[in-house]
Amino acid sequence: MVTTSERASRSKLEAMLQNLYTKTTQVILQARVPITSSKENKWFCLNTPHLSKVQSELRQLHCAIPQALDGATLPPLVILITLPLHLLSLDERRHLLGNTTPPRGKTTLVIEAWTVTLKSAPFAKMDLPRFYKHAIAFFRSLYSLVRLLPAYHWLTTTTRPLAYRMGLADLYHEHEIPMASPTPPHATRPSYQSHALAMTTPIG
């Protein structure tokens, strides 16, 4: 029989996990796309703009969290940061693509792909304040990491905006050049790199 205390603890954990995904998305997007918001999200001791669009886009994932507490697998959240090719100068196209003419049918270059994965396990008792402290450290690291990567330099040094798309499945479209595509001859596009951050939660 589930006690009132256990139900309250589970409810708090659901809220913390939902905000874990929301905050991760907000920290990444805040450093990639122009954002204006009159509200702030103050979870995990880090102020970020409250993005109602993000809340809507994460609704499916948020609704799946209660099942994850019982051991169900949460699909990975994928966030793509994209750059329309028409915003590039001829020299920039040559630098990134090896040619001034994009491949046939391609209009967008994926410059970053973030994947947020929860390795699910049945709900285990864990001190929630301790979990919160772990999350604070995690977000400080993430906040620093997103500002060390080249896309942040683009945001802060040019008026040409990046874009994003996110969801729970393979998001690549036919008109996009994915990050993992082979680098054409004569191009100096940086090779694909993986940056991993991890933290322990009560369910994985």
Side-chain angles (χ1 to χ4, degrees):
M1 181 177 178
V2 179
T3 66
T4 301
S5 176
E6 289 173 336
R7 279 196 296 268
S9 179
R10 182 183 174 106
S11 179
K12 289 179 181 178
L13 177 58
E14 286 181 17
M16 291 175 71
L17 290 171
Q18 289 174 354
N19 277 282
L20 188 72
Y21 278 96
T22 299
K23 180 66 75 171
T24 298
T25 304
Q26 290 173 337
V27 169
I28 293 171
L29 296 184
Q30 179 182 251
R32 294 296 178 266
V33 298
I35 292 175
T36 55
S37 176
S38 59
K39 297 182 179 180
E40 285 190 332
N41 178 312
K42 298 182 179 181
W43 273 82
F44 307 114
C45 298
L46 180 63
N47 291 3
T48 52
H50 173 82
L51 307 175
S52 56
K53 182 183 178 183
V54 167
Q55 290 292 99
S56 176
E57 291 173 318
L58 291 175
R59 186 171 294 116
Q60 181 182 355
L61 182 64
H62 286 174
C63 291
I65 285 177
Q67 288 73 41
L69 294 181
D70 296 321
T73 300
L74 275 178
L77 171 65
V78 179
I79 304 170
L80 300 182
I81 307 299
T82 62
L83 174 63
L85 293 176
H86 74 269
L87 296 179
L88 297 173
S89 67
L90 293 181
D91 284 344
E92 288 169 334
R93 288 188 183 185
R94 187 176 293 110
H95 170 71
L96 293 170
L97 305 175
N99 199 313
T100 58
T101 303
R104 182 182 298 274
K106 304 296 185 180
T107 62
T108 305
L109 176 66
V110 176
I111 62 172
E112 282 185 351
W114 297 84
T115 303
V116 185
T117 303
L118 179 68
K119 297 180 180 179
S120 298
F123 174 49
K125 290 185 177 180
M126 180 179 182
D127 181 19
L128 294 187
R130 182 180 170 211
F131 168 37
Y132 198 89
K133 289 179 181 178
H134 286 178
I136 290 173
F138 169 82
F139 283 113
R140 286 177 179 173
S141 297
L142 179 62
Y143 185 90
S144 298
L145 173 61
V146 296
R147 282 160 175 76
L148 293 173
L149 300 177
Y152 182 69
H153 178 74
W154 179 277
L155 176 70
T156 56
T157 59
T158 178
T159 58
R160 293 170 291 175
L162 299 174
Y164 81 93
R165 193 169 68 260
M166 66 180 180
L168 303 181
D170 185 356
L171 299 182
Y172 286 107
H173 290 172
E174 291 184 357
H175 66 270
E176 292 176 338
I177 302 174
M179 282 186 59
S181 62
T183 303
H186 312 300
T188 55
R189 172 155 50 98
S191 60
Y192 177 80
Q193 295 183 8
S194 176
H195 300 269
L197 292 176
M199 68 169 293
T200 301
T201 78
I203 59 170

